[in-house]
Amino acid sequence: MMLRRHGTTLHARATPGDRDRPGAQCSATLVRTRRTSPELQRVATIVWTDRRSGQVNGRMGRAGDRKAFGGGTETMTDTGSAGVVRVTGQGAGRRATRLLHLAREERLAGARSEVAPRAEIDASWDRVVRSGIDPDQSPESELLQADEIEYRRHSTALGELMPLLRAGLASIADVAQQIMVVTDTEGRVLWRQGNTGVLRRAHDICLEEGAAWAEAATGTNAIGTALAVRVPIQVHSAEHFIRALHSWTCAAAPVRDPRDGRLIGIVDISGPASTFHPATLALVDSVARLAEGEIRIRHLAEIERLRAVAAPILCRIGGRALAVDVHGRLAAVTGMAPVDRLPLPKSLRPGPVWLPSLGMCQVEPLPGGWLVQVDDGGTRGAPRRVVLDLSRSRTLAVHLTGPLGSRTQRLSPRHAELLYALAVHRQGRTASELAGDIFGDATRTVTVRAEVSRLRRQLAEVLAHRPYRFGDGVEVEVIHPEHRADLLPHSLAPVVAEARRAAQAT
């Protein structure tokens, strides 16, 4: 692209390289700055729009600089508000690197900068600055012990996917003078493989098994930033916040469990900055999606095996019943409409259990899952007596008793306060009233609703809502300490403090 300046206007003319892009329109804007730095004087941003795809692209350089615009690939930019020029370091030369260095220094000094990195890197720098990362610090971190690394490897589904990841990435990384890195959800490196020489160089920046690569530990980098924003990202050279990483390039993508969308780890390719390729991110993301697909295929196979076991059993059962895997995913059902997923308690055990969506059920283990039989007289089997034991502050508990047996649930101090408030006010309490009872602040309804929601997951069979209260027909007893003035001694909840004052006055 050729530029000709007339006053404050730049006129753009397409060069043969630009004409290779069919349907492209060209325009030019001259961005003036208030600074005297040679790097920021008369920065021209050239923008072209592809009529077919609608994609906006751009290049940046000085006015009259034929090298920067005439088919050069030094840097890609776009313009933000207030004349801010955004610079990407991907595939960039020394000029873009210097501009990114300048942007980082002005960010640390708290000064307004007229040049900034691309938006996702800019947001990461903001997070890193707030966390107190020093750009001159070493990327070294305390490594996990070998037994802890092995424990984490066996605790994640990524371990079963490593053959796929090695086949899809490790061999390519080796040829491309890069390495594949796989981390857990905390950014701890669990596996790495690739070019031998790069593995040795990675030791110098602590990119080794057991190291921490979250943003809070190592600043802006593909692994940590992908963890923070949960999307694939590529970080190149000076886009890293820590200077020791400026000679590296990396691309990372998150891997999720398709059964529930939960993040299970990060897949990354890293290498010297000279090995940068714009297609690396697409490659990493594609392999991450293949890994998710493998999890889905294995899960479907597990469901089929569970269905084969459960089908003969369900044929002999009268009434409503269903077979689910350990995550609550449906394998087979009889006597009721099918559901995609049955919410299960975290500590599910065989025997009678109250499930909020079904009521009282009888649960039995199956290979790879559970057989859940619904008690159609569930209201008769629900607990009718609740004993709130607050006699010892270190062993707070609630005992539930009903026709199908009894069980005991340990309580946190906060949940003990909530149940005590409901026991005192049997008619029920609104969220704002409970907020006043617990925090002395009726506006903290969001916190109260969240705590009651957690409590109802364990005690749904005896707790009702609108207003929050113990269910109709439930008998409630509170066991106090020997001296009532010692009731929940560490609690600051007004409802508890008032009970202690009343006990001291008698």
Side-chain angles (χ1 to χ4, degrees):
M1 180 174 293
M2 299 291 292
L3 296 179
R4 181 170 57 84
R5 180 181 176 191
H6 181 71
T8 60
T9 303
L10 288 177
H11 298 280
R13 181 169 63 85
T15 62
D18 298 311
R19 286 192 288 270
D20 291 338
R21 292 184 295 272
Q25 284 185 326
C26 297
S27 64
T29 305
L30 179 64
V31 181
R32 294 185 180 274
T33 74
R34 303 184 187 90
R35 303 187 181 278
T36 59
S37 169
E39 294 300 334
L40 291 178
Q41 290 180 351
R42 294 198 184 110
V43 177
T45 302
I46 305 304
V47 178
W48 66 82
T49 304
D50 191 308
R51 291 196 186 101
R52 295 178 179 177
S53 66
Q55 182 177 2
V56 178
N57 304 286
R59 289 183 183 161
M60 180 181 98
R62 297 175 186 278
D65 189 344
R66 293 171 59 98
K67 181 179 179 181
F69 298 100
T73 58
E74 182 163 351
T75 185
M76 301 287 290
T77 69
D78 57 27
T79 52
S81 60
V84 174
V85 179
R86 293 199 179 274
V87 183
T88 174
Q90 296 184 5
R94 285 176 291 181
R95 176 178 297 172
T97 300
R98 288 195 297 269
L99 289 173
L100 287 170
H101 277 299
L102 179 61
R104 185 187 300 99
E105 295 304 320
E106 292 184 338
R107 178 71 56 84
L108 291 171
R112 179 184 179 275
S113 175
E114 298 196 19
V115 66
R118 53 197 173 101
E120 54 267 46
I121 300 299
D122 199 17
S124 175
W125 283 9
D126 283 338
R127 292 190 296 270
V128 169
V129 169
R130 288 195 300 269
S131 66
I133 295 293
D134 184 348
D136 293 318
Q137 75 179 48
S138 167
E140 291 184 3
S141 60
E142 184 177 352
L143 302 181
L144 297 176
Q145 297 295 323
D147 56 347
E148 175 65 17
I149 294 174
E150 282 302 314
Y151 172 77
R152 295 192 181 208
R153 285 174 174 174
H154 288 92
S155 300
T156 175
L158 288 173
E160 300 175 356
L161 302 175
M162 283 308 298
L164 173 66
L165 296 177
R166 290 190 179 102
L169 279 183
S171 57
I172 297 175
D174 190 3
V175 174
Q177 303 271 315
Q178 295 179 321
I179 60 174
M180 177 191 73
V181 179
V182 180
T183 79
D184 63 11
T185 56
E186 296 179 3
R188 289 284 184 171
V189 178
L190 300 184
W191 293 275
R192 63 174 199 156
Q193 187 174 336
N195 183 270
T196 304
V198 179
L199 286 171
R200 286 196 297 267
R201 290 184 59 179
H203 176 75
D204 297 335
I205 61 169
C206 201
L207 186 54
E208 49 191 320
E209 292 172 354
W213 279 80
E215 279 189 344
T218 323
T220 301
N221 68 90
I223 294 171
T225 304
L227 275 175
V229 298
R230 299 294 201 266
V231 296
I233 192 166
Q234 194 161 19
V235 180
H236 178 70
S237 187
E239 291 180 330
H240 291 94
F241 193 77
I242 294 179
R243 290 188 178 90
L245 303 178
H246 287 183
S247 59
W248 285 78
T249 186
C250 50
V255 180
R256 294 179 175 84
D257 189 330
R259 293 169 292 191
D260 54 15
R262 179 176 50 88
L263 181 72
I264 59 176
I266 297 291
V267 178
D268 167 89
I269 278 189
S270 295
S274 59
T275 64
F276 167 83
H277 192 284
T280 303
L281 181 60
L283 171 64
V284 175
D285 188 37
S286 297
V287 173
R289 302 291 78 77
L290 285 174
E292 293 175 353
E294 180 68 15
I295 295 176
R296 186 179 292 107
I297 291 171
R298 294 186 181 199
H299 176 244
L300 292 177
E302 293 171 356
I303 289 291
E304 284 299 325
R305 287 193 293 269
L306 178 58
R307 183 179 292 119
V309 172
I313 299 174
L314 292 177
C315 289
R316 298 193 298 268
I317 291 178
R320 298 184 295 161
L322 62 167
V324 297
D325 69 1
V326 293
H327 302 282
R329 297 290 180 183
L330 182 68
V333 63
T334 184
M336 58 185 293
V339 295
D340 291 334
R341 183 172 181 267
L342 178 66
L344 298 176
K346 290 183 178 180
S347 56
L348 184 62
R349 297 177 181 177
V353 62
W354 179 276
L355 299 177
S357 59
L358 296 177
M360 186 59 65
C361 300
Q362 185 71 26
V363 176
E364 299 178 20
L366 291 174
W370 299 96
L371 174 65
V372 181
Q373 301 180 64
V374 182
D375 177 11
D376 289 321
T379 56
R380 295 191 299 271
R384 311 313 298 165
R385 177 176 170 81
V386 174
V387 178
L388 181 58
D389 187 355
L390 307 179
S391 59
R392 293 181 296 274
S393 61
R394 294 188 178 182
T395 57
L396 304 172
V398 59
H399 308 286
L400 309 178
T401 304
L404 296 182
S406 61
R407 68 183 178 93
T408 298
Q409 179 74 41
R410 294 290 299 272
L411 297 173
S412 68
R414 179 69 73 217
H415 287 174
E417 292 171 347
L418 285 167
L419 291 178
Y420 180 76
L422 296 179
V424 171
H425 303 283
R426 287 303 308 275
Q427 74 279 9
R429 304 293 273 175
T430 64
S432 60
E433 289 172 336
L434 270 181
D437 291 336
I438 304 303
F439 303 108
D441 181 358
T443 65
R444 297 186 61 177
T445 55
V446 173
T447 304
V448 163
R449 289 191 181 100
E451 290 291 348
V452 174
S453 177
R454 296 186 188 99
L455 188 58
R456 293 189 73 233
R457 291 173 194 166
Q458 304 297 330
L459 304 175
E461 64 269 43
V462 296
L463 291 179
H465 62 102
R466 296 181 182 177
Y468 296 121
R469 67 192 188 280
F470 284 103
D472 298 336
V474 177
E475 179 186 350
V476 181
E477 177 187 355
V478 178
I479 301 178
H480 292 82
E482 183 178 355
H483 302 287
R484 294 203 171 198
D486 295 332
L487 177 67
L488 298 175
H490 302 294
S491 174
L492 300 178
V495 67
V496 177
E498 182 180 351
R500 289 198 297 256
R501 286 194 299 269
Q504 291 171 349
T506 57

